[in-house]
Amino acid sequence: MKKRPTVFNIQKFSTHDGPGIRTTIFFKGCPIRCEWCHNPESQVFAPEIMLNKYGKEELIGKDYSIRELVKKIQADQIFYDQSGGGVTFSGGEVMAQDMDYVVELAKECQRMGISVTIDTCGVAPRENYEKILPYADLFLYDLKFIDSQFHREFTGIGNELVLENLRYLSQQKAAIDLRLILLEEINADEETAEAIIDWLDKENIHVDEISLLPYHDFGRDKYKRLNRECTQNFIKPSDEQVETIQKVYESAGYQVSIGG
Ligand code: SF4
């Protein structure tokens, strides 16, 4: 029996969640808690109340049948076809939702010729990745920290599962865009970039692209609107710093983009 996941946003004409023009489905619920998260309303699996910009209570999260979501996705197929786009399943964490539902949705999209991208933090059972693999054209794969202690400190859990799933997807020759958050004074430095490159080399991991995601604090206000404390105390790295890191990856032969 499939359980309908909660969806908290459907973003049409998105250009940051994979190639071309896309519809991004944001599934609600995430197994980790990144301190820099700019979508705190994505973390809890169930619908919840959040104040809107005008101070009025709004219920965040709604469930859809597969047929309803497919209809919404299909509505913009002409734009996907013209731009090389498609649909992105994001979150929260799509891979921590009911996989029978997610796989069937992806299958339907594939059947209609719509390309599927999975945006994931890597924290989900391996079998979920095995199930979605035949229907996914691209993985946007977050690597928060290569050091497990740092990962635990800033997300609540170590990174062993994240690394193991990344290894698996690479071995299966999945297309991977590795996405790296950059936090000033924490990991936005050349040493961290070199450590990640060394690890990818040592593990023989192939990624098609690296996306550098400089921290921004646009989500801070949302914590207040959810009646939650925002403990974020990060600094956005400078453009020069980001360019320096970009060069480190480029010199190692990676194709690098900045931003999502
Ligand atoms: S993985 Fe993404 S959605 Fe989950 S807490 Fe981290 S930033 Fe937020």
Side-chain angles (χ1 to χ4, degrees):
M1 174 73 177
K2 285 185 274 300
K3 187 180 172 306
R4 289 182 184 187
T6 305
V7 169
F8 74 95
N9 191 13
I10 298 174
Q11 175 84 53
K12 286 179 162 272
F13 296 99
S14 161
T15 52
H16 296 290
D17 302 309
I21 295 173
R22 317 193 65 81
T23 295
T24 303
I25 312 289
F26 291 91
F27 292 96
K28 188 160 158 45
C30 184
I32 62 174
R33 293 290 178 270
C34 307
E35 271 192 37
W36 57 86
C37 184
H38 61 269
N39 280 332
E41 77 278 31
S42 74
Q43 293 177 343
V44 176
F45 283 79
E48 65 190 316
I49 299 289
M50 179 168 150
L51 297 183
N52 68 17
K53 286 179 186 152
Y54 311 102
K56 280 191 88 174
E57 286 190 353
E58 234 176 47
L59 184 67
I60 303 292
K62 177 177 172 348
D63 65 58
Y64 294 86
S65 68
I66 289 178
R67 188 194 273 225
E68 286 170 325
L69 268 191
V70 164
K71 223 173 144 189
K72 285 184 183 290
I73 294 165
Q74 200 179 17
D76 290 339
Q77 187 158 8
I78 187 166
F79 300 107
Y80 315 146
D81 293 346
Q82 283 170 358
S83 67
V87 64
T88 299
F89 300 163
S90 184
E93 177 50 59
V94 60
M95 298 301 292
Q97 308 291 336
D98 181 287
M99 280 318 284
D100 289 341
Y101 179 102
V102 175
V103 167
E104 193 171 324
L105 182 62
K107 236 190 231 178
E108 269 303 298
C109 293
Q110 192 186 61
R111 199 181 59 74
M112 294 183 304
I114 297 173
S115 170
V116 175
T117 288
I118 300 291
D119 180 10
T120 180
C121 70
V123 183
R126 153 86 72 87
E127 67 202 57
N128 291 5
Y129 292 92
E130 286 171 13
K131 285 180 187 167
I132 199 71
L133 196 55
Y135 311 103
D137 297 297
L138 172 67
F139 288 84
L140 308 180
Y141 200 99
D142 294 352
L143 179 59
K144 318 283 188 193
F145 292 101
I146 197 74
D147 180 294
S148 191
Q149 281 303 345
F150 270 110
H151 201 281
R152 185 177 298 283
E153 186 180 337
F154 291 104
T155 73
I157 65 161
N159 66 1
E160 289 73 16
L161 184 59
V162 178
L163 301 184
E164 190 192 314
N165 284 328
L166 179 57
R167 255 185 228 111
Y168 168 73
L169 289 176
S170 170
Q171 282 160 5
Q172 298 303 311
K173 307 212 177 323
I176 300 169
D177 174 356
L178 193 66
R179 290 153 76 91
L180 308 169
I181 177 88
L182 296 181
L183 307 155
E184 167 81 40
E185 289 175 13
I186 294 177
N187 68 353
D189 53 63
E190 291 164 73
E191 294 72 35
T192 302
E194 278 154 10
I196 291 175
I197 292 167
D198 285 349
W199 185 81
L200 293 171
D201 282 352
K202 181 169 71 84
E203 298 283 338
N204 201 18
I205 288 181
H206 170 80
V207 302
D208 297 79
E209 188 174 354
I210 287 185
S211 296
L212 302 176
L213 310 176
Y215 166 76
H216 62 74
D217 64 1
F218 304 156
R220 287 183 70 97
D221 172 58
K222 290 186 184 175
Y223 286 83
K224 223 187 286 164
R225 293 199 269 127
L226 281 165
N227 199 19
R228 279 167 54 182
E229 193 193 350
C230 179
T231 53
Q232 286 179 17
N233 196 14
F234 300 110
I235 305 165
K236 184 181 187 299
S238 67
D239 292 349
E240 294 72 36
Q241 206 169 353
V242 176
E243 273 167 34
T244 304
I245 294 167
Q246 179 178 12
K247 281 189 191 128
V248 175
Y249 285 108
E250 284 175 345
S251 330
Y254 289 98
Q255 189 183 320
V256 184
S257 65
I258 297 171

